[in-house]
Amino acid sequence: AATTPELADKKKYPYFFRTVPSDNAVNPAILKLLKYYQWKRVGTLTQDVQRFSEVRNDLTGVLYGEDIEISDTESFSNDPCTSVKKLKGNDVRIILGQFDEEMAVKVFCCAYDEEMYGSKYQWIIPGWYENLWWESWINSSQCLSKNLLAAMEGYIGVDFEPLSTKVVKTISGRTPQQYEMEYNAKRGDGQSSKFHGYAYDGIWVIAKTLQRAMKYLNATNKHQKIEDFNYTNHKLGKIFLDAMNETNFFGVTGQVVFRNGERMGTIKFTQFQERKEVKVGEYNAVADTLEIINNSIRFQGLEPPKDKTIIQEELRKISLPLYSILSALTILGMIMASAFLFFNIKNRNQKLIKMSSPYMNNLIILGGMLSYASIFLFGLDGSFVSEKTFETLCTVRTWILTVGYTTAFGAMFAKTWRVHAIFKNVKMKKKIIKDQKLLVIVGGMLLIDLCILICWQIVDPLRRTVEKYNMEPDPAGRDISIRPILEHCENTHMTIWLGIVYAYKGLLMVSIAFPALNDSKYIGMSVYNVGIMCIIGAAVSFLTRDQPNVQFCIVALVIIFCSTITLCLVFVPKLITLRTNPDAATQNRRFQFTQNQKKEDSKTSTSVTSVNQASTSRLEGLQSENHRLRMKITELDKDLEEVTMQLQDTPEKATYIKQNHYQDLNDILTIRNFTESKDGEKAILKNHLDQNPPAQWGTTDPSRTSKDPIEDINSPEHIQRRLSLQLPILHHAYLPSIGGVDASCASPCVSPSASPRQRHVPPSFRVMVSGL
């Protein structure tokens, strides 16, 4: 009844036979069980005792070459918790244990703490423990009884079968069941041993061996009898050895056969179910067969545990209903764009449509339809196409969306640029910009796009990459872990290329939104809405890149919204105008443009061809200075009139004039100098009055013309003469400062507040302007 594997060494014990299977006899049975449930990855946990270590070493040899991996081998002396934790860290799910009852309690307590029990784990331990073995050692552990039982639930014990379960007569003429009944009857209340059946079959082995030896001796050597046996007779010992190896009969413990001195018995499998051990199968070592009793093994999951964490990669794909809904919206958008295209072509000769550049409108529609088409490609992933096709779609959808964007907004930019170039013509000359030039502008923008995309494709093309995420439990409750994977279109320098494209598209949008180019509030609304939606969409799309449904929904809705709002804002107002008032379409357009132009000119100039704000400020300053000079001239005019009256009344007042009004004359001359200085600075005011000298102010006494020329220069007569000659000259000198005329101008002057560029007006508007 010695089960230690050490006795199986035939070099040491060549004549040793045991009638009880050794501890190593369970290893072939374990191998068969592992193959039955297709467990190809196991771990061992062994108590540091020679008996268990030898079984573990023999198991390693049995599993070697059977395509079963021992992923981790752990051993312990007293505390198994560290070893249990390592097994869990190495993802060992099938644990083969070799330890006694006392250590078994500690092992299962540690397994409970590490959550290494339940549907994901299977423990296989020795089955020779006593009945209710855990109750004897539960007090020595720090584990609660319910926790220990929870961890023990479902473990499988492996041990040899004490008695055969087959209802077949044995060599003694009794069935195993009849033998057990007779044994229990004779045993009475005495303690039972599980080896009694092997002892019974062992007697039969000796009897059959002696019988076979005696028969051999009688047949071969009549002079030698079995009674002559002694331990030094090697010839007779060899006869016994051969007879033992030929033993083969059915006993109460099953088929009795020896192989290399080892009893080839029957191994039973029991499972701990609801606080008791239940037999679930047996292994016949002679026939090398495993029999599992139907529906007897209860696994705590829906299926047997896996030998490792089964990682099932699952592609996160776009939902088919979501793709269908967004595709339907995209088709509606393309139908709308086709309707706008039909409307634009049909009414291309209408003044309203003709003024809005119908060819550019067609390009805007084409760009919108290309943007719509890209949505179909963004929704195709690995669930619809192959990996190679998906990689091709990465490039195609990027090209289509980029070209569509540039076509639409490039045409919009060309339209607004033409309006800007015509109506900002400062020379007010006739300027014609044909559609061919606009097409060249759009073509240049598309050429820039092609250069960027071609360089992108050659230097760093887009590739299909797979991003793996953290494992998730199976929603169906299976013993597998789901690792979500997601397909992306990426390359090495993705950030740099996207930065270049975003910068170019942003610059194009900013150019359209620039007030000097934007001739329509609808275009402005379109640009602002598209810009905001693109920024929000790009940010949200980046944050939801691990959720393909959300990301695709956001990208598709942003494209649909931007394309739809652009087309509607460009064409719906035209459609409404032509429907409601076709005759006034052109007039309303002109009036609307005039109102928008006035609002714009209030910020940048005083008229369509006015100067900038700096010139306006300078003009206001000159007007203020002109007003001050007018007031000063009015005061001086009064003084001159008073001097004239005095000279006409009393020539004796010359002394008074000399003393009191000499300063006034100097003031007039000072004004003359000031006016000249203003003209020297290229003042913006100009005079256009024909030269008509006024009548001489005052008269000269003819009687005084014959006087001696050497008279007093300050005499009243000389003063009157000088004034009559100087006053007309002075009038013409300061009249330009107040909007009068000069001697060299034959055109009427404009208002002092007028722009220098409006000095020349048609002759039909000429008027006479008096300086005073």
Side-chain angles (χ1 to χ4, degrees):
T3 60
T4 175
E6 186 178 4
L7 297 176
D9 189 356
K10 287 301 177 180
K11 292 181 179 181
K12 293 183 178 180
Y13 314 103
Y15 296 101
F16 176 78
F17 286 81
R18 70 175 109 212
T19 59
V20 178
S22 70
D23 294 335
N24 288 344
V26 299
N27 290 335
I30 293 175
L31 173 62
K32 207 68 175 180
L33 181 68
L34 296 178
K35 287 184 176 182
Y36 182 83
Y37 288 107
Q38 299 181 357
W39 291 327
K40 297 182 179 181
R41 186 173 182 272
V42 299
T44 61
L45 181 63
T46 309
Q47 183 179 356
D48 282 338
V49 176
Q50 183 180 3
R51 175 185 180 184
F52 302 122
S53 298
E54 289 178 351
V55 175
R56 189 264 320 275
N57 295 337
D58 182 74
L59 177 64
T60 303
V62 171
L63 298 181
Y64 181 78
E66 297 292 340
D67 196 24
I68 296 178
E69 173 192 0
I70 300 180
S71 59
D72 191 12
T73 300
E74 298 293 333
S75 60
F76 65 93
S77 297
N78 189 35
D79 184 10
C81 290
T82 302
S83 299
V84 171
K85 187 178 296 184
K86 289 181 179 180
L87 290 173
K88 182 180 181 180
N90 290 325
D91 193 31
V92 175
R93 309 283 291 277
I94 310 299
I95 305 100
L96 307 179
Q98 287 292 331
F99 35 75
D100 58 23
E101 296 97 324
E102 181 181 3
M103 291 295 110
V105 172
K106 295 182 179 181
V107 167
F108 283 111
C109 285
C110 296
Y112 181 85
D113 295 336
E114 297 295 332
E115 298 182 350
M116 290 184 66
Y117 65 95
S119 60
K120 295 183 178 181
Y121 295 90
Q122 182 61 60
W123 290 83
I124 300 176
I125 63 174
W128 43 262
Y129 299 160
E130 296 292 336
N131 191 26
L132 303 176
W133 55 268
W134 62 90
E135 294 182 354
S136 303
W137 305 100
I138 185 67
N139 296 328
S140 62
S141 67
Q142 298 179 353
C143 188
L144 297 178
S145 178
K146 63 177 183 178
N147 297 341
L148 177 62
L149 293 175
M152 292 168 53
E153 184 68 25
Y155 80 75
I156 295 177
V158 185
D159 193 18
F160 57 84
E161 184 72 84
L163 293 174
S164 177
T165 57
K166 295 181 179 181
V167 185
V168 179
K169 287 186 177 182
T170 65
I171 192 173
S172 64
R174 304 181 183 88
T175 63
Q177 294 75 20
Q178 292 174 345
Y179 161 79
E180 185 178 16
M181 294 177 60
E182 186 176 352
Y183 171 76
N184 290 332
K186 292 182 177 181
R187 177 176 61 87
D189 296 334
Q191 187 176 1
S192 174
S193 171
K194 67 178 183 178
F195 296 106
H196 64 85
Y198 289 94
Y200 181 78
D201 284 341
I203 300 299
W204 278 99
V205 168
I206 295 173
K208 295 292 291 183
T209 300
L210 293 176
Q211 182 184 18
R212 191 175 296 109
M214 291 173 62
K215 186 182 297 187
Y216 176 80
L217 290 175
N218 292 334
T220 58
N221 192 352
K222 299 181 180 180
H223 300 287
Q224 190 174 10
K225 298 181 180 179
I226 195 170
E227 291 83 355
D228 299 333
F229 170 79
N230 58 62
Y231 291 99
T232 60
N233 190 343
H234 297 285
K235 185 176 179 181
L236 192 56
K238 181 67 171 56
I239 294 174
F240 287 142
L241 182 63
D242 294 338
M244 287 284 293
N245 287 326
E246 293 175 2
T247 301
N248 188 354
F249 64 88
F250 185 79
V252 295
T253 59
Q255 197 72 24
V256 180
V257 178
F258 295 98
R259 186 174 299 167
N260 293 328
E262 295 291 325
R263 166 70 191 273
M264 306 298 293
T266 301
I267 306 299
K268 70 172 181 177
F269 293 96
T270 59
Q271 187 180 34
F272 188 77
Q273 300 176 2
E274 299 178 356
R275 305 187 64 171
K276 62 181 180 180
E277 291 187 344
V278 178
K279 183 179 178 180
V280 294
E282 65 179 29
Y283 168 74
N284 188 336
V286 177
D288 192 25
T289 57
L290 175 65
E291 180 184 357
I292 301 296
I293 301 175
N294 295 332
N295 300 323
S296 58
I297 293 185
R298 299 179 185 176
F299 295 108
Q300 299 186 48
L302 299 177
E303 56 185 357
K306 305 299 181 181
D307 56 4
K308 60 181 178 180
T309 300
I310 302 298
I311 301 175
Q312 180 176 334
E313 293 186 347
E314 184 176 280
L315 177 65
R316 287 184 175 178
K317 53 188 179 180
I318 296 174
S319 172
L320 183 59
L322 176 64
Y323 181 75
S324 302
I325 293 173
L326 293 176
S327 297
L329 293 177
T330 302
I331 293 174
L332 292 177
M334 298 184 76
I335 294 174
M336 179 195 67
S338 301
F340 286 149
L341 180 63
F342 174 78
F343 164 79
N344 190 68
I345 295 176
K346 180 180 179 182
N347 299 279
R348 63 185 181 277
N349 294 324
Q350 293 284 343
K351 289 185 178 180
L352 178 62
I353 304 300
K354 203 169 185 178
M355 291 171 59
S356 65
S357 303
Y359 292 110
M360 294 298 103
N361 291 342
N362 291 340
L363 289 180
I364 293 175
I365 296 173
L366 177 61
M369 296 185 74
L370 287 175
S371 299
Y372 281 129
S374 66
I375 296 177
F376 297 110
L377 303 181
F378 275 105
L380 297 177
D381 54 14
S383 60
F384 298 100
V385 297
S386 62
E387 295 181 3
K388 186 176 181 180
T389 305
F390 180 83
E391 191 167 292
T392 304
L393 289 177
C394 290
T395 303
V396 173
R397 69 190 188 187
T398 302
W399 281 57
I400 290 179
L401 183 60
T402 303
V403 172
Y405 181 95
T406 302
T407 303
F409 284 91
M412 199 177 298
F413 171 83
K415 286 179 55 177
T416 53
W417 173 82
R418 177 160 64 180
V419 174
H420 164 75
I422 293 175
F423 291 94
K424 292 298 181 180
N425 181 16
V426 295
K427 296 182 179 180
M428 294 300 291
K429 293 182 179 180
K430 185 176 181 181
K431 191 172 184 178
I432 299 176
I433 301 177
K434 296 184 178 181
D435 288 342
Q436 287 81 353
K437 190 171 184 179
L438 302 185
L439 292 175
V440 171
I441 294 176
V442 178
M445 294 181 178
L446 290 175
L447 184 61
I448 296 175
D449 267 345
L450 291 177
C451 291
I452 295 175
L453 293 174
I454 291 174
C455 292
W456 189 349
Q457 183 66 22
I458 295 176
V459 176
D460 192 12
L462 288 171
R463 302 292 184 186
R464 175 185 177 272
T465 60
V466 176
E467 184 177 3
K468 297 182 179 181
Y469 295 89
N470 294 330
M471 292 184 294
E472 299 175 355
D474 179 42
R478 296 175 298 173
D479 185 20
I480 61 174
S481 295
I482 304 297
R483 184 187 293 278
I485 61 174
L486 188 59
E487 294 175 314
H488 293 294
C489 294
E490 293 180 347
N491 53 15
T492 306
H493 305 288
M494 190 72 174
T495 305
I496 297 176
W497 293 108
L498 288 179
I500 294 174
V501 174
Y502 287 163
Y504 171 53
K505 303 303 178 184
L507 182 62
L508 176 60
M509 185 175 294
V510 170
S511 300
I512 300 175
F514 191 66
L517 295 180
N518 189 3
D519 69 311
S520 172
K521 65 179 180 180
Y522 298 115
I523 294 179
M525 292 171 59
S526 173
V527 170
Y528 299 143
N529 281 284
V530 170
I532 293 174
M533 289 301 298
C534 287
I535 293 174
I536 295 176
V540 177
S541 176
F542 178 78
L543 295 175
T544 59
R545 68 192 309 267
D546 58 337
Q547 304 177 34
N549 285 321
V550 178
Q551 186 183 43
F552 172 65
C553 183
I554 292 173
V555 171
L557 290 179
V558 167
I559 295 176
I560 292 174
F561 175 83
C562 294
S563 301
T564 304
I565 199 69
T566 299
L567 295 176
C568 289
L569 289 175
V570 171
F571 292 99
V572 170
K574 298 179 179 62
L575 182 62
I576 294 175
T577 303
L578 287 179
R579 292 282 184 181
T580 56
N581 192 3
D583 297 333
T586 303
Q587 296 179 0
N588 293 339
R589 180 73 176 179
R590 290 176 179 174
F591 177 76
Q592 181 181 2
F593 173 76
T594 304
Q595 296 298 322
N596 294 338
Q597 195 67 20
K598 286 182 179 180
K599 293 179 182 179
E600 180 183 344
D601 290 343
S602 65
K603 299 179 181 178
T604 60
S605 60
T606 59
S607 65
V608 176
T609 58
S610 64
V611 294
N612 55 26
Q613 293 182 355
S615 299
T616 303
S617 301
R618 185 168 177 267
L619 180 61
E620 293 176 354
L622 292 175
Q623 289 175 347
S624 177
E625 184 68 19
N626 181 269
H627 179 71
R628 188 183 66 78
L629 292 176
R630 284 174 182 271
M631 299 300 296
K632 185 66 175 178
I633 289 174
T634 302
E635 295 176 0
L636 294 176
D637 186 60
K638 291 181 181 179
D639 292 341
L640 288 172
E641 186 178 358
E642 182 180 353
V643 169
T644 303
M645 295 299 296
Q646 290 175 357
L647 289 175
Q648 291 178 354
D649 293 341
T650 58
E652 293 81 5
K653 295 181 181 180
T655 304
Y656 173 79
I657 293 172
K658 179 180 180 180
Q659 295 176 355
N660 298 290
H661 297 280
Y662 187 73
Q663 181 64 34
D664 295 334
L665 294 175
N666 289 334
D667 293 340
I668 294 174
L669 296 176
T670 302
I671 295 173
R672 167 67 176 174
N673 294 332
F674 177 82
T675 306
E676 291 177 351
S677 66
K678 293 297 180 181
D679 292 338
E681 296 175 1
K682 296 183 179 180
I684 64 173
L685 301 176
K686 192 174 182 181
N687 307 299
H688 299 280
L689 187 63
D690 294 337
Q691 183 176 356
N692 293 313
Q696 291 185 352
W697 188 22
T699 60
T700 305
D701 189 1
S703 62
R704 296 199 180 266
T705 59
S706 62
K707 281 190 71 73
D708 188 3
I710 316 177
E711 291 181 339
D712 186 3
I713 194 171
N714 292 323
S715 64
E717 294 79 1
H718 282 273
I719 294 175
Q720 184 177 7
R721 186 179 298 112
R722 287 198 302 273
L723 290 174
S724 63
L725 295 173
Q726 292 176 353
L727 284 177
I729 298 173
L730 292 174
H731 281 306
H732 286 279
Y734 62 72
L735 277 178
S737 300
I738 62 171
V741 300
D742 57 18
S744 62
C745 181
S747 299
C749 73
V750 293
S751 172
S753 62
S755 171
R757 297 172 182 172
Q758 293 178 327
R759 291 174 182 171
H760 301 285
V761 296
S764 60
F765 293 98
R766 290 182 179 177
V767 295
M768 295 299 293
V769 181
S770 174
L772 294 177

